[in-house]
């Protein structure tokens, strides 16, 4: 695999198989850490939906780690950070070194379409065959927000709408940023204008009510995650070849480990605070928590990329990288699989009996195995043919 984005991972220059242990690759074109982080992101989202569909609540004295399960929708924020990081890299490389190729807009948009659209449209077709809801599927096909109108299939579709908005605006921002002083000034003015509006609506005001719910899911409110990802990419390009990181590897490893543990601890505290608020309250009164999560995830990413950490294989290994490669299929498939395995059994047993039984653990485990199997088939039969065409595009 190569440098990729969000749940809809791209694989330009990647090997066709799922064998990720094929020796060393150029760190400028392949970063296994990011594949593994993507795998972590989709597993967090899976656990979040398994928790919610099981009807569980965070106890008064939560055990360590429960925030990452009950608040696993932070995986979506992590996907957005990864998108900002990876899609901005070609432009940032060109800005730092004009000798590096400047991304071609036509190839960029074709690559995004080949990566996102085929599998998404297959999911829409299956949903239409199962539900017959032509109006909702038509809106979704045009990348409009449909929310839960085709539940359980449409639960995650809103994030693709947000990603598409980012895909469309990123080239404009990068072209301005690399166009010289005037273009950079124009880009800064646009960013400051957005920041003022974001502060007024999100930081100072409350995004309450039906009209602002859609705004809270849009690129406007989720832009900090993408921007933080871009900033992390710029930091990585500047630091990756820094002599001090090679000369003082032990010191760097120690500092990276300390920062990684601190970031994860702070993430746990934020996620617990969110899950202990009334349902949906955080989206209304503390939407800024997504930005805090994004900043901490960026720290995690940079620590894994720059530091030779002890026990790094707990987060960076071939198994998690394979999950990351399957993340787009798994992202689109996992909620229906979870729903149709958990909900009938939970309703037949009763919520309390189900939560007190071993099925609380066995059913999500079976759902994960089934979703992974379906994702593997989806990857080979739907994604891979279009990825081959994508890899053939010019840079």
């Amino acid at each position: 695999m190569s440098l990729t984005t969000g749940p809809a991972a791209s694989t330009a220059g990647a090997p066709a198989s799922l064998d990720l242990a094929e020796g060393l690759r150029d760190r400028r074109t392949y970063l296994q850490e990011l594949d593994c982080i993507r795998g972590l992101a989709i597993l967090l989202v899976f656990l979040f939906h398994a928790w919610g569909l099981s009807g569980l609540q965070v106890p008064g004295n939560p055990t360590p780690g429960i925030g990452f399960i009950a608040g696993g929708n932070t995986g979506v924020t992590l996907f957005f950070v990864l998108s900002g990081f990876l899609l901005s890299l070609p432009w940032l490389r060109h800005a730092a070194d004009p000798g590096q190729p400047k991304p071609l807009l036509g190839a960029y948009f074709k690559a995004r379409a080949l990566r996102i659209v085929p599998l998404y449209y297959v999911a829409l077709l299956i949903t239409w065959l199962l539900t017959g809801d032509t109006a909702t599927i038509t809106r979704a096909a045009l990348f409009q927000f449909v929310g839960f109108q085709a539940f359980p299939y449409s639960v995650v579709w809103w994030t693709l709408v947000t990603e598409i908005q980012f895909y469309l605006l990123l080239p404009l921002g990068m072209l301005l940023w690399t166009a010289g002083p005037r273009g950079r000034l124009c880009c800064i003015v646009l960013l400051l204008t957005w920041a003022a509006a974001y502060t007024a609506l999100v930081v100072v005001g409350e995004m309450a009510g039906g009209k602002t719910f859609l705004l809270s899911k849009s690129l406007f409110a989720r832009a900090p995650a993408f921007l933080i990802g871009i900033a992390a990419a710029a930091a990585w390009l500047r630091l990756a070849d820094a002599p001090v990181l090679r000369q003082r590897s032990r010191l760097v490893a120690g500092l990276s480990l300390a920062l990684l543990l601190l970031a994860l601890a702070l993430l746990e505290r934020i996620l617990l605070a969110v899950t202990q608020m009334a349902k949906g309250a955080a989206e209304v009164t503390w939407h800024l928590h997504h930005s805090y999560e994004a900043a901490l995830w960026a720290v995690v990413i940079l620590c894994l990329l720059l530091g030779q950490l002890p026990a790094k294989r707990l987060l960076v290994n071939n198994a998690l990288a394979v999950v990351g490669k399957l993340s787009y299929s798994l992202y689109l498939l996992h909620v229906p699989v979870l729903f149709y395995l958990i909900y009938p059994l939970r309703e037949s047993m009763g919520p309390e009996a189900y939560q007190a039984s071993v099925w609380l653990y066995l059913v999500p485990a079976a759902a994960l195995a089934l979703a992974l199997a379906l994702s593997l088939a989806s990857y080979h039969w739907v994604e891979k043919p279009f990825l081959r065409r994508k890899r053939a595009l010019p840079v």
Side-chain angles (χ1 to χ4, degrees):
M1 290 183 64
S2 74
L3 300 183
T4 53
T5 69
S10 64
T11 54
S17 71
L18 282 173
D19 182 7
L20 299 177
E22 296 183 358
L24 296 177
R25 299 184 181 91
D26 185 353
R27 291 282 290 177
R28 292 180 66 82
T29 59
Y30 175 76
L31 298 171
Q32 189 189 38
E33 292 90 343
L34 299 186
D35 274 337
C36 295
I37 292 169
R38 186 177 300 105
L40 173 64
I42 185 56
L43 290 178
L44 288 171
V45 174
F46 179 93
L47 290 172
F48 169 73
H49 287 126
W51 177 278
L53 289 169
S54 298
L56 295 169
Q57 301 292 327
V58 177
N61 295 312
T63 56
I66 202 71
F68 284 102
I69 299 174
N73 56 336
T74 188
V76 171
T77 299
L78 178 52
F79 277 134
F80 290 161
V81 174
L82 285 169
S83 288
F85 187 106
L86 293 161
L87 286 180
S88 66
L89 274 177
W91 274 281
L92 293 174
R93 287 195 180 112
H94 174 72
D97 178 8
Q100 293 289 326
K102 188 174 184 178
L104 302 174
L105 287 181
Y108 166 84
F109 286 117
K110 288 178 183 177
R112 292 298 90 214
L114 287 169
R115 189 64 193 97
I116 290 288
V117 173
L119 183 60
Y120 179 54
Y121 275 22
V122 169
L124 294 183
L125 175 61
I126 293 172
T127 303
W128 177 72
L129 292 173
L130 293 173
T131 66
D133 189 347
T134 302
T136 296
I137 300 304
T138 300
R139 289 177 57 207
L142 297 174
F143 290 97
Q144 297 181 20
F145 182 83
V146 297
F148 288 80
Q149 293 176 21
F151 183 87
Y153 313 99
S154 64
V155 170
V156 301
W157 293 354
W158 72 268
T159 62
L160 295 179
V161 178
T162 306
E163 288 268 3
I164 290 292
Q165 293 168 359
F166 174 67
Y167 296 166
L168 294 174
L169 286 180
L170 176 67
L172 173 61
M174 286 300 177
L175 287 174
L176 287 173
W177 191 258
T178 57
R182 289 185 178 180
R184 188 163 296 190
L185 177 61
C186 182
C187 189
I188 291 172
V189 169
L190 290 174
L191 283 173
L192 289 175
T193 302
W194 163 81
Y198 177 83
T199 301
L201 288 174
V202 178
V203 180
V204 178
E206 291 187 359
M207 299 182 68
K211 291 183 179 180
T212 56
F213 176 76
L214 177 58
L215 189 64
S216 74
K217 303 295 184 184
S218 70
L219 179 62
F220 172 83
R222 299 304 180 108
F226 295 100
L227 293 172
I228 288 168
I230 294 172
W236 177 72
L237 286 176
R238 183 174 292 272
L239 295 173
D241 297 323
V244 67
L245 295 185
R246 296 193 298 269
Q247 295 168 0
R248 302 185 179 183
S249 57
R250 288 189 178 180
L251 176 60
V252 171
L255 290 175
S256 298
L257 179 61
L259 281 173
L260 177 66
L261 294 177
L262 177 61
L264 291 174
L266 290 174
L267 269 168
E268 169 81 359
R269 292 292 298 272
I270 290 171
L271 296 175
L272 277 176
V274 170
T275 57
Q276 290 174 335
M277 297 175 73
K279 186 176 181 180
E283 292 299 306
V284 173
T285 61
W286 196 35
H287 197 272
L288 197 60
H289 77 271
H290 293 299
S291 301
Y292 298 148
E293 293 169 26
L296 292 169
W297 280 124
V299 172
V300 171
I301 291 170
L302 290 174
C303 287
L304 290 176
L305 288 174
L306 297 171
Q308 298 300 317
L309 302 177
K312 185 175 179 178
R313 285 296 166 186
L314 291 174
L315 288 176
V316 182
N317 53 71
N318 290 337
L320 200 54
V322 170
V323 176
K325 187 166 187 175
L326 300 176
S327 61
Y328 187 30
S329 289
L330 187 56
Y331 189 72
L332 290 175
L333 286 167
H334 77 278
V335 176
V337 171
L338 278 168
F339 176 76
Y340 286 114
L341 289 184
I342 290 176
Y343 188 76
L345 184 60
R346 194 191 80 177
E347 291 303 298
S348 63
M349 294 179 63
E352 292 185 2
Y354 175 79
Q355 293 166 12
S357 72
V358 70
W359 294 112
L360 178 67
Y361 307 97
L362 292 181
V363 175
L368 179 59
L370 177 58
L372 284 170
L374 292 173
S375 297
L376 183 60
S378 172
Y379 175 82
H380 280 289
W381 294 341
V382 181
E383 293 186 69
K384 200 154 119 178
F386 292 97
L387 292 178
R388 289 197 185 103
R389 295 181 62 184
K390 178 178 175 295
R391 285 193 291 269
L393 293 171
V395 177

